[in-house]
Amino acid sequence: MENMIDLILNEFGIANYHLLKNKQGKFLLTNEANSDFWIILSDYDVAVDKQQELFELYRQGMKEYSTAEKNTSILILKCISHFDEEIKAWAVETENDKYYFKKYVLLYTQKAWDSLNNEILVDPKKKLSDYLIDSSVFENLKNDSSDGPYTLLYGIAHKLPFLLLEMEKSKLELSYPTNWVTDENKETNEWVDGIPDKDNEIDDYLDELLNSIDHEQD
C-alpha cells in the first residue's frame, strides 16, 4: 500500500463497503445495505460551529439516504511528527465529543507507517485480520513502543469495528499447526480463542489488550 488511506480503504472493501464520494481528501463510504456510513478525514475541528457546518453540508448532500444522518461515523487518520500529551488529549476530546457524529481517531507517525507497510505487511495473500491473529505478530506487539508499527497495527483494528469481526472469522477458519498447543504458543492460542464475537464487546476487548501491554515510552 502506498499510504495509510489506501490500507484503510482496502479494509473497508474487504468488509463490503463501497466508496460513495471522494472529494478534497474526504472519503465517504457505506455498506451494502446503505445502513452504515463512514467519513474518512485527515484532521478534524471539534469547535461546535465547525462541526455544525460539516454536519449541515453532509445532511444536505445525503438526502437520498434516509439512515445516513443518524448512522455516520468519522474516522480521522492523523499523521503526526511525534506523540505528546497535547495530541493525545486532543484525540481523547475528539472521540468523547458526542455532537453530530461518532468519531474515531487514529494517530500515527510516518515512521511507524513505513515500518508497518514495508516490514510487516509483506505477504500479499494476507488480510489485515490474518496478521492480527498471527502468533509472531502478537509476540512482537508485547515488546513494541507506544508509537511503534505493531501498536499501530492493533490500533487500526481498534478503530475499525468490523475488523475484529473479520479476525473472528479468520480464527474460525484457521488450520492450527501441530505445535499450536505447545507451551510456547499457549498464550497466543488463549488470546485468539478469547477474541469476542459480539459487536458490543469488541471496543472494550481491544482497549484492554492495548492497555495491558507495558509499552516503553520514547
Side-chain angles (χ1 to χ4, degrees), residues 86-100:
E86 182 178 356
I87 193 62
K88 291 177 184 177
W90 173 84
V92 171
E93 178 188 4
T94 301
E95 290 196 336
N96 288 342
D97 184 283
K98 303 304 180 184
Y99 286 109
Y100 304 112

Side-chain angles (χ1 to χ4, degrees), residues 18-102:
H18 60 277
L19 190 64
L20 287 178
K21 298 179 181 180
N22 173 10
K23 184 178 181 181
Q24 295 178 346
K26 299 182 178 66
F27 296 85
L28 174 61
L29 302 104
T30 185
N31 60 358
E32 290 181 305
N34 292 327
S35 60
D36 186 40
F37 299 81
W38 287 75
I39 301 172
I40 304 179
L41 305 172
S42 60
D43 206 348
Y44 193 79
D45 193 333
V46 295
V48 175
D49 59 334
K50 295 296 184 181
Q51 292 198 61
Q52 184 176 15
E53 180 182 345
L54 175 62
F55 178 75
E56 289 301 327
L57 287 172
Y58 179 75
R59 187 166 64 89
Q60 291 298 320
M62 297 294 288
K63 285 183 176 179
E64 63 185 291
Y65 300 99
S66 59
T67 59
E69 186 173 330
K70 295 184 178 180
N71 295 281
T72 299
S73 300
I74 290 183
L75 174 62
I76 301 109
L77 304 175
K78 189 172 179 64
C79 186
I80 59 176
S81 59
H82 64 282
F83 282 84
D84 56 33
E85 293 307 312
E86 182 178 356
I87 193 62
K88 291 177 184 177
W90 173 84
V92 171
E93 178 188 4
T94 301
E95 290 196 336
N96 288 342
D97 184 283
K98 303 304 180 184
Y99 286 109
Y100 304 112
F101 303 103
K102 185 173 184 179

Side-chain angles (χ1 to χ4, degrees), residues 1-18:
M1 300 293 173
E2 290 188 7
N3 50 48
M4 177 66 77
I5 188 62
D6 289 338
L7 175 65
I8 297 299
L9 291 177
N10 184 66
E11 290 304 315
F12 271 97
I14 292 172
N16 295 317
Y17 284 72
H18 60 277

Side-chain angles (χ1 to χ4, degrees), residues 135-136 139 142 176-191 193:
S135 60
S136 63
E139 288 301 311
K142 294 192 295 184
Y176 289 172
T178 304
N179 67 347
W180 186 254
V181 295
T182 63
D183 289 340
E184 180 181 353
N185 290 315
K186 183 174 183 293
E187 182 180 1
T188 305
N189 188 18
E190 290 175 348
W191 168 69
D193 283 338

